[in-house]
Amino acid sequence: MSGEINFDGIIGPSHNYAGLSLGNLASARNAGEVSQPRAAALQGLDKMRANLALGLAQGLFVPPPRPARDWLAALGTTIEAAEPGIAANAMSASSMWAANAATVSPAPDTDDDKCHLTVANLRSMPHRSHEWSATLAQLRLAFADGAFTVHGPVPPAFGDEGAANHMRLAAAHGEPGIELFVYGVTGGPFPARQHIEASRAVARLHGLDPARTHFIEQSEAAIAAGAFHNDVVAVANGPLLFAHEQAFARRDEVAALCTANDFELLEVPASEVSLEDAIASYLFNAQLVTLPTGEMTLIIPTEAREMASVWSWLERHLASNGAIRRVEVVDVRQSMANGGGPACLRLRVACDPTRVDPRFLVDDAKLDRLAEIVGSHWPVEIAVPELQRPSLIADIGRAREVLLENLDLAQLASG
Ligand code: SUG
């Protein structure tokens, strides 16, 4: 096993702002705005390009078919006939947030030395609840090699939102680590999307060592303030856990866990960056990565650069020679307006890249090709009332078809 690959979800041609996610403040704030799918997807491709330039391995996932016709059929309707609210749920491009695709336990943590992936059921939000079947088909292709085991979703009785609520600490990617599953009990006015029963099931399915597996409760205050996933207030990489002081219900437990295992907890105090600023700027929804040079680097969204409290905390941290040695800024504004930052857009898989189906791996030449396809086939704009317009639906279908053909993934046509 060597290193880590970030698989980014290509932002699909149906990207829109229908305001579907209760508890996700950005989604609610931008409900009804006109989206820019083409610009959105190009921003996503540029982020992948920037990661390659940093020397990181990069992969991709393709968007599922939209509208979600099977889901509509199961509801006894069609995209043409559905009520607008149902139609919007069938048109969402939410699979772009690949951190919610699956939970991943790398081989050094599991009892059979395979890398295990469990597709997330995403049952808490209707528009995300039908993502898993197309995601599973893709995971089964990308990770068909014997080095991996891909599991179906845990039963929908229990909500599972994948890697967004899971963190791993290890001396290095290829070393055995400890896995932290973060669940919610209550989120005040908002739903707690990750249930402990689902987290426990994933840990069992992955054959994790109970002594190195920990279930951590997310703080109610964080969920109530808009942290609908743990990765909005915390992120881990290698031996470092970077978190807001109010991320967890019992922060002392998390601190003790880090100390006991020789890992570092880098906490941002509420007195320096409020929970509200952290959530509005997505400071913690950054990609925390180790560059080939060994430098721990934080890839933040533009919004975090622009938030005075956040930027001055980062400047002080860099000046203090702290654990994070470098900060990079990426523009993913179109995704951010739906509550998805740089970390939401990627699924991390620590594995040997030669064991991954190369159709899901990316280099600069492939990104150039994808940018051309996006530039000529992705809609420039979508207004929510247009979501059932036949010509838009035809364009979206065609755009995906061209993408799949180009990536030699036409076998995923039906999902
Ligand atoms: O599930 N937004 C996503 C954002 C997911 C972010 N992912 C992580 N934090 N890992 C969500 O709330 C908005 C869709 C809309 O409103 O149209 C949406 O689904």
Side-chain angles (χ1 to χ4, degrees):
M1 199 188 94
S2 62
E4 169 184 272
I5 311 171
N6 285 276
F7 289 83
D8 278 44
I10 294 180
I11 298 178
S14 71
H15 161 62
N16 69 85
Y17 297 124
L20 300 174
S21 273
L22 178 65
N24 171 341
L25 304 183
S27 155
R29 192 172 49 244
N30 293 300
E33 292 289 319
V34 173
S35 66
Q36 299 183 326
R38 185 176 296 182
L42 292 174
Q43 287 170 0
L45 295 175
D46 282 348
K47 171 166 103 72
M48 295 192 222
R49 211 185 295 279
N51 280 359
L52 284 178
L54 289 172
L56 302 170
Q58 184 65 50
L60 60 75
F61 294 130
V62 296
R66 290 292 175 264
R69 293 187 196 277
D70 294 348
W71 185 72
L72 290 165
L75 290 170
T77 189
T78 60
I79 189 67
E80 293 77 17
E83 301 96 312
I86 295 290
N89 278 294
M91 287 293 279
S92 177
S94 51
S95 78
M96 72 175 80
W97 299 298
N100 304 118
T103 305
V104 184
S105 295
D109 295 353
T110 68
D111 61 2
D112 60 2
D113 288 324
K114 291 184 184 210
C115 174
H116 285 250
L117 300 95
T118 294
V119 72
N121 65 27
L122 291 169
R123 59 81 116 164
S124 295
M125 297 287 143
H127 67 289
R128 306 213 63 179
S129 66
H130 51 74
E131 262 175 52
W132 68 265
S133 54
T135 302
L136 182 59
Q138 223 170 143
L139 296 177
R140 290 210 197 280
L141 267 193
F143 306 108
D145 187 278
F148 303 96
T149 300
V150 176
H151 302 269
V154 302
F158 306 114
D160 178 22
E161 304 258 330
N165 295 306
H166 173 255
M167 302 184 292
R168 174 170 193 264
L169 290 161
H173 294 311
E175 301 288 323
I178 62 170
E179 298 200 13
L180 311 183
F181 290 79
V182 184
Y183 62 92
V185 171
T186 161
F190 298 141
R193 296 201 206 177
Q194 182 74 37
H195 300 172
I196 191 169
E197 295 85 353
S199 298
R200 288 195 191 283
V202 172
R204 281 190 295 269
L205 290 163
H206 289 193
L208 299 180
D209 175 355
R212 292 189 293 122
T213 305
H214 303 275
F215 299 93
I216 309 286
E217 187 185 335
Q218 195 181 4
S219 79
E220 176 175 342
I223 303 176
F228 52 93
H229 290 135
N230 170 65
D231 69 1
V232 174
V233 281
V235 58
N237 177 57
L240 179 66
L241 172 54
F242 178 47
H244 191 270
E245 184 186 11
Q246 292 166 297
F248 309 115
R250 291 172 291 281
R251 59 185 275 258
D252 295 353
E253 248 176 49
V254 179
L257 198 57
C258 288
T259 310
N261 289 280
D262 226 7
F263 296 129
E264 181 180 355
L265 171 61
L266 174 59
E267 261 188 333
V268 176
S271 57
E272 295 178 41
V273 177
S274 67
L275 201 47
E276 288 67 30
D277 280 5
I279 292 171
S281 68
Y282 266 37
L283 165 63
F284 296 97
N285 200 259
Q287 285 186 252
L288 186 59
V289 294
T290 308
L291 299 190
T293 57
E295 269 177 318
M296 185 78 81
T297 297
L298 193 69
I299 303 170
I300 57 168
T302 323
E303 288 79 351
R305 172 70 186 83
E306 290 168 352
M307 176 78 75
S309 60
V310 164
W311 187 245
S312 51
W313 187 90
L314 283 170
E315 281 191 319
R316 283 196 301 281
H317 180 76
L318 288 172
S320 75
N321 256 344
I324 299 169
R325 309 311 290 259
R326 178 169 167 176
V327 173
E328 295 287 321
V329 182
V330 289
D331 176 1
V332 287
R333 285 183 190 279
Q334 282 286 312
S335 166
M336 283 286 288
N338 250 338
C344 298
L345 285 163
R346 59 93 177 96
L347 183 70
R348 293 185 282 185
V349 184
C351 68
D352 175 354
T354 65
R355 311 299 287 267
V356 177
D357 186 317
R359 291 174 293 181
F360 293 90
L361 296 176
V362 160
D363 58 15
D364 280 315
K366 193 181 273 190
L367 288 176
D368 289 346
R369 266 166 37 216
L370 295 177
E372 263 177 50
I373 293 172
V374 166
S376 42
H377 292 278
W378 261 233
V380 174
E381 290 188 343
I382 298 183
V384 176
E386 296 171 330
L387 284 173
Q388 289 171 280
R389 205 182 68 203
S391 62
L392 176 71
I393 289 162
D395 289 349
I396 286 168
R398 178 72 192 136
R400 180 169 183 272
E401 218 173 86
V402 174
L403 177 78
L404 293 185
E405 272 163 27
N406 194 278
L407 293 172
D408 195 20
L409 285 170
Q411 68 206 100
L412 290 173
S414 60

